[in-house]
Amino acid sequence: MTTVTKPEGAPAANAPDGFLSVRDLQVTFSTEDGPVKAVDGLSFDLARGRTLGIVGESGSGKSVTNLTVLGLHNPLFTKTDGEIVLDGKELITATEKEMEELRGNRAAMIFQDPLTALSPFYTVGRQIAEPYMKHRKVSKKAAWERAVEMLAKVGIPNPRERAKDYPHQFSGGMRQRAMIAMALVCDPDLLIADEPTTALDVTVQAQILDLLKDLQQEFGSGIIFITHDLGVIADMADDIMVMYAGNAVERGTVDEVLRAPQHPYTWGLLNSMPRLDSDLDTPLSPIPGSPPSLLHPPSGCRFHPRCTFQDRVAGAAGRCVDERPLLGPDRASACHLTADQKRTIFIEEIKPRLA
Ligand code: SF4
């Protein structure tokens, strides 16, 4: 069974516009080797009509967080604490029946690989029509018409004919479009896109991103966009949350975080991005080391084993190893460096390397 604990002294259960509010989320998996805390005290809000980009390496907790929002973890192996409120409805304590009603209707997900969402045994049209028929209680014929309409909306040529095709008869880009059509068929308030364009070539990727932006304008959904690619975030998102080892380390608007990043991990991510204007022989500068094991996470600041700035932190020696920095509200970064140090280091040492 999923174990549920309400956070002590958590803020009132409502987001700024009454949309999505996550407070002190903790997700722990039972494994053979012991409990793994994949998300550890995460809080964030999403307003309707805005896009939140969540960025971080594998294992940062970004996908786990969003699968939790949709109640997609196996409750036998998962303990979830904290609070997730979507439009006034608490989701952690919701029954499986309530979550089923929510998924594909008010909240939907687009995955990296459409073949995980599309069945090879049914036509594309049927798979788009089914959630519409189920949630909107319409006839088969009306649902089929809606599927054809959605395929047209996502740019599938000759949609009435192509709706009768099976997924294997679609190209990779078309399957991705079909999955977007399936996710949006019930006009969800919340759309979660998990690396939706990673497997596609650059041209198709740009088309899919443009399509998502257009559809958001039309449907007014709140979007959570998960990626490891800061370039995609810059193009898609209004706000950014950078995650590392199960928690947020920096957040702000896209402009704030990309123009004046404050956290050493964000500096590392920016520095490791390939640049279009750089020589092909120019080596990339990856962040040294690798993400920590969440079975035995580092003490204090979880980024400390990889951080080259900890000797600049004022106060007791070893503060980064002993004391976990907390993330403040609004524009913030979880790091013991002072605001002045963050600004100066970025301008004098990091920015020239990014130019
Ligand atoms: Fe680096 Fe210390 Fe800041 Fe963590 S708290 S990011 S170890 S300087």
Side-chain angles (χ1 to χ4, degrees):
M1 284 294 292
T2 303
T3 310
V4 175
T5 311
K6 283 277 180 190
E8 295 270 331
N14 52 0
D17 73 341
F19 191 48
L20 176 67
S21 164
V22 174
R23 288 289 175 272
D24 196 23
L25 182 66
Q26 322 227 0
V27 183
T28 309
F29 297 124
S30 305
T31 73
E32 275 181 350
D33 299 316
V36 169
K37 205 163 215 182
V39 178
D40 188 10
L42 180 69
S43 298
F44 66 91
D45 294 309
L46 174 68
R48 206 184 291 271
R50 280 185 84 79
T51 299
L52 171 68
I54 304 185
V55 69
E57 292 163 294
S58 300
S60 60
K62 51 194 196 313
S63 295
V64 171
T65 299
N66 289 291
L67 290 171
T68 307
V69 169
L70 293 184
L72 287 172
H73 291 302
N74 186 335
L76 287 175
F77 306 106
T78 315
K79 179 173 178 281
T80 309
D81 298 331
E83 204 167 66
I84 301 172
V85 180
L86 181 67
D87 211 7
K89 170 87 185 144
E90 163 57 58
L91 302 186
I92 289 184
T93 50
T95 62
E96 183 46 34
K97 190 160 181 286
E98 288 172 320
M99 290 308 290
E100 260 177 35
E101 179 50 35
L102 178 99
R103 285 193 293 265
N105 185 18
R106 304 215 41 217
M109 188 147 184
I110 302 172
F111 296 90
Q112 180 179 339
D113 176 8
L115 292 178
T116 59
L118 294 170
S119 163
F121 303 115
Y122 301 106
T123 64
V124 170
R126 177 172 170 179
Q127 295 184 65
I128 298 170
E130 258 176 9
Y132 193 69
M133 204 158 71
K134 175 180 162 196
H135 294 295
R136 295 298 161 89
K137 315 275 184 267
V138 297
S139 68
K140 224 174 179 174
K141 186 166 181 297
W144 184 264
E145 284 306 311
R146 173 72 173 170
V148 171
E149 181 195 335
M150 288 306 298
L151 284 174
K153 242 186 231 300
V154 298
I156 302 288
N158 199 7
R160 193 164 294 281
E161 284 308 307
R162 298 309 302 255
K164 298 176 201 154
D165 284 348
Y166 289 84
H168 74 268
Q169 293 170 285
F170 275 33
S171 68
M174 280 169 69
R175 279 198 290 261
Q176 202 69 8
R177 286 169 190 266
M179 187 167 54
I180 293 171
M182 194 161 85
L184 291 175
V185 68
C186 289
D187 190 3
D189 299 318
L190 173 66
L191 181 66
I192 297 175
D194 191 349
E195 306 266 10
T197 56
T198 307
L200 303 173
D201 70 49
V202 180
T203 315
V204 181
Q205 173 173 339
Q207 289 169 356
I208 298 285
L209 294 180
D210 282 347
L211 171 67
L212 280 172
K213 280 190 267 187
D214 290 348
L215 293 171
Q216 184 184 33
Q217 295 245 309
E218 185 180 339
F219 289 87
S221 316
I223 298 184
I224 296 179
F225 201 97
I226 306 168
T227 181
H228 60 273
D229 186 337
L230 280 166
V232 169
I233 291 272
D235 190 30
M236 285 299 293
D238 302 298
D239 304 293
I240 301 186
M241 180 165 74
V242 181
M243 288 191 71
Y244 186 77
N247 213 329
V249 293
E250 177 157 11
R251 71 164 155 250
T253 64
V254 164
D255 203 47
E256 286 167 340
V257 176
L258 296 187
R259 276 182 198 282
Q262 297 179 348
H263 196 281
Y265 178 60
T266 316
W267 297 339
L269 285 179
L270 284 166
N271 200 32
S272 59
M273 271 174 64
R275 271 175 285 287
L276 283 176
D277 56 354
S278 63
D279 203 301
L280 277 179
D281 297 332
T282 309
L284 296 176
S285 314
I287 303 171
S290 44
S293 153
L294 295 177
L295 205 53
H296 305 291
S299 61
C301 172
R302 289 190 171 174
F303 189 56
H304 85 254
R306 305 173 75 186
C307 183
T308 52
F309 297 95
Q310 47 192 304
D311 56 351
R312 317 243 194 131
V313 169
R319 190 172 165 209
C320 295
V321 178
D322 297 332
E323 187 187 328
R324 188 168 179 184
L326 298 174
L327 191 73
D330 305 322
R331 169 74 179 122
S333 66
C335 171
H336 293 313
L337 294 167
T338 65
D340 266 355
Q341 283 179 306
K342 290 170 186 169
R343 200 167 30 246
T344 311
I345 293 173
F346 177 67
I347 291 171
E348 294 181 359
E349 300 176 42
I350 310 295
K351 203 170 172 190
R353 283 191 244 152
L354 304 178

PDB file of all heavy atoms in Angstrom, residues 17 22 79 82 91 120 172 211 222 250 270 278-279 311:
ATOM      1  N   ASP A  17      -2.975  30.199  -8.758  1.00  0.00           N
ATOM      2  CA  ASP A  17      -4.226  30.367  -9.490  1.00  0.00           C
ATOM      3  C   ASP A  17      -5.121  29.154  -9.288  1.00  0.00           C
ATOM      4  O   ASP A  17      -5.984  28.865 -10.079  1.00  0.00           O
ATOM      5  CB  ASP A  17      -3.940  30.588 -10.977  1.00  0.00           C
ATOM      6  CG  ASP A  17      -3.484  29.306 -11.647  1.00  0.00           C
ATOM      7  OD1 ASP A  17      -3.051  28.380 -10.925  1.00  0.00           O
ATOM      8  OD2 ASP A  17      -3.584  29.211 -12.867  1.00  0.00           O
ATOM      9  N   VAL A  22       2.607  21.553  -5.564  1.00  0.00           N
ATOM     10  CA  VAL A  22       3.293  20.396  -4.975  1.00  0.00           C
ATOM     11  C   VAL A  22       4.036  20.890  -3.750  1.00  0.00           C
ATOM     12  O   VAL A  22       4.762  21.891  -3.824  1.00  0.00           O
ATOM     13  CB  VAL A  22       4.281  19.771  -6.002  1.00  0.00           C
ATOM     14  CG1 VAL A  22       5.109  18.666  -5.363  1.00  0.00           C
ATOM     15  CG2 VAL A  22       3.514  19.239  -7.205  1.00  0.00           C
ATOM     16  N   LYS A  79       6.504   4.646  -1.474  1.00  0.00           N
ATOM     17  CA  LYS A  79       5.921   5.385  -0.352  1.00  0.00           C
ATOM     18  C   LYS A  79       5.937   6.861  -0.754  1.00  0.00           C
ATOM     19  O   LYS A  79       6.992   7.392  -1.149  1.00  0.00           O
ATOM     20  CB  LYS A  79       6.786   5.154   0.887  1.00  0.00           C
ATOM     21  CG  LYS A  79       6.333   5.871   2.127  1.00  0.00           C
ATOM     22  CD  LYS A  79       7.215   5.393   3.301  1.00  0.00           C
ATOM     23  CE  LYS A  79       6.863   6.085   4.594  1.00  0.00           C
ATOM     24  NZ  LYS A  79       7.393   7.415   4.708  1.00  0.00           N
ATOM     25  N   GLY A  82       3.700  13.990   1.447  1.00  0.00           N
ATOM     26  CA  GLY A  82       3.623  15.381   0.998  1.00  0.00           C
ATOM     27  C   GLY A  82       2.249  15.686   0.444  1.00  0.00           C
ATOM     28  O   GLY A  82       1.260  15.037   0.798  1.00  0.00           O
ATOM     29  N   LEU A  91      -4.190  14.863  -4.713  1.00  0.00           N
ATOM     30  CA  LEU A  91      -4.001  13.658  -5.518  1.00  0.00           C
ATOM     31  C   LEU A  91      -3.335  12.512  -4.766  1.00  0.00           C
ATOM     32  O   LEU A  91      -3.537  11.344  -5.105  1.00  0.00           O
ATOM     33  CB  LEU A  91      -3.179  13.982  -6.775  1.00  0.00           C
ATOM     34  CG  LEU A  91      -3.753  15.052  -7.712  1.00  0.00           C
ATOM     35  CD1 LEU A  91      -2.920  15.156  -8.967  1.00  0.00           C
ATOM     36  CD2 LEU A  91      -5.213  14.746  -8.060  1.00  0.00           C
ATOM     37  N   PRO A 120       0.377  -1.694 -30.521  1.00  0.00           N
ATOM     38  CA  PRO A 120       0.526  -2.092 -31.932  1.00  0.00           C
ATOM     39  C   PRO A 120      -0.718  -2.786 -32.478  1.00  0.00           C
ATOM     40  O   PRO A 120      -0.848  -2.977 -33.685  1.00  0.00           O
ATOM     41  CB  PRO A 120       1.723  -3.057 -31.893  1.00  0.00           C
ATOM     42  CG  PRO A 120       1.776  -3.579 -30.487  1.00  0.00           C
ATOM     43  CD  PRO A 120       1.208  -2.493 -29.598  1.00  0.00           C
ATOM     44  N   GLY A 172       8.304   7.837 -37.268  1.00  0.00           N
ATOM     45  CA  GLY A 172       8.552   8.205 -35.867  1.00  0.00           C
ATOM     46  C   GLY A 172       7.924   9.552 -35.509  1.00  0.00           C
ATOM     47  O   GLY A 172       7.266   9.688 -34.476  1.00  0.00           O
ATOM     48  N   LEU A 211       4.432  22.722 -32.573  1.00  0.00           N
ATOM     49  CA  LEU A 211       3.071  22.193 -32.452  1.00  0.00           C
ATOM     50  C   LEU A 211       2.592  22.284 -31.003  1.00  0.00           C
ATOM     51  O   LEU A 211       1.466  22.725 -30.727  1.00  0.00           O
ATOM     52  CB  LEU A 211       3.063  20.734 -32.927  1.00  0.00           C
ATOM     53  CG  LEU A 211       1.792  19.947 -32.690  1.00  0.00           C
ATOM     54  CD1 LEU A 211       0.670  20.494 -33.546  1.00  0.00           C
ATOM     55  CD2 LEU A 211       2.003  18.471 -33.013  1.00  0.00           C
ATOM     56  N   GLY A 222      -1.695  23.916 -18.624  1.00  0.00           N
ATOM     57  CA  GLY A 222      -0.408  24.113 -17.969  1.00  0.00           C
ATOM     58  C   GLY A 222       0.475  22.964 -18.427  1.00  0.00           C
ATOM     59  O   GLY A 222       0.014  21.821 -18.508  1.00  0.00           O
ATOM     60  N   GLU A 250      17.609  25.036  -8.145  1.00  0.00           N
ATOM     61  CA  GLU A 250      17.460  26.418  -8.608  1.00  0.00           C
ATOM     62  C   GLU A 250      16.131  26.555  -9.332  1.00  0.00           C
ATOM     63  O   GLU A 250      15.688  25.638 -10.019  1.00  0.00           O
ATOM     64  CB  GLU A 250      18.606  26.797  -9.560  1.00  0.00           C
ATOM     65  CG  GLU A 250      18.455  28.199 -10.127  1.00  0.00           C
ATOM     66  CD  GLU A 250      19.764  28.824 -10.602  1.00  0.00           C
ATOM     67  OE1 GLU A 250      20.779  28.122 -10.698  1.00  0.00           O
ATOM     68  OE2 GLU A 250      19.754  30.035 -10.897  1.00  0.00           O
ATOM     69  N   LEU A 270      25.131  24.435 -18.063  1.00  0.00           N
ATOM     70  CA  LEU A 270      25.286  25.393 -19.161  1.00  0.00           C
ATOM     71  C   LEU A 270      26.637  25.211 -19.839  1.00  0.00           C
ATOM     72  O   LEU A 270      26.760  25.236 -21.060  1.00  0.00           O
ATOM     73  CB  LEU A 270      25.164  26.821 -18.633  1.00  0.00           C
ATOM     74  CG  LEU A 270      23.739  27.281 -18.324  1.00  0.00           C
ATOM     75  CD1 LEU A 270      23.741  28.542 -17.492  1.00  0.00           C
ATOM     76  CD2 LEU A 270      22.965  27.513 -19.623  1.00  0.00           C
ATOM     77  N   SER A 278      30.822  26.524 -32.052  1.00  0.00           N
ATOM     78  CA  SER A 278      32.154  26.060 -31.643  1.00  0.00           C
ATOM     79  C   SER A 278      32.704  25.068 -32.661  1.00  0.00           C
ATOM     80  O   SER A 278      31.964  24.416 -33.399  1.00  0.00           O
ATOM     81  CB  SER A 278      32.103  25.447 -30.247  1.00  0.00           C
ATOM     82  OG  SER A 278      31.268  24.321 -30.273  1.00  0.00           O
ATOM     83  N   ASP A 279      34.023  24.986 -32.696  1.00  0.00           N
ATOM     84  CA  ASP A 279      34.727  24.093 -33.586  1.00  0.00           C
ATOM     85  C   ASP A 279      34.339  22.651 -33.261  1.00  0.00           C
ATOM     86  O   ASP A 279      34.143  22.319 -32.099  1.00  0.00           O
ATOM     87  CB  ASP A 279      36.239  24.295 -33.309  1.00  0.00           C
ATOM     88  CG  ASP A 279      37.058  23.875 -34.496  1.00  0.00           C
ATOM     89  OD1 ASP A 279      36.940  22.694 -34.864  1.00  0.00           O
ATOM     90  OD2 ASP A 279      37.778  24.737 -35.047  1.00  0.00           O
ATOM     91  N   ASP A 311      35.094  25.602  -1.361  1.00  0.00           N
ATOM     92  CA  ASP A 311      36.090  26.265  -0.494  1.00  0.00           C
ATOM     93  C   ASP A 311      35.873  27.783  -0.436  1.00  0.00           C
ATOM     94  O   ASP A 311      36.520  28.484   0.319  1.00  0.00           O
ATOM     95  CB  ASP A 311      37.518  25.939  -0.948  1.00  0.00           C
ATOM     96  CG  ASP A 311      37.748  26.304  -2.401  1.00  0.00           C
ATOM     97  OD1 ASP A 311      36.757  26.648  -3.084  1.00  0.00           O
ATOM     98  OD2 ASP A 311      38.908  26.266  -2.860  1.00  0.00           O
TER      99      ASP A 311
END
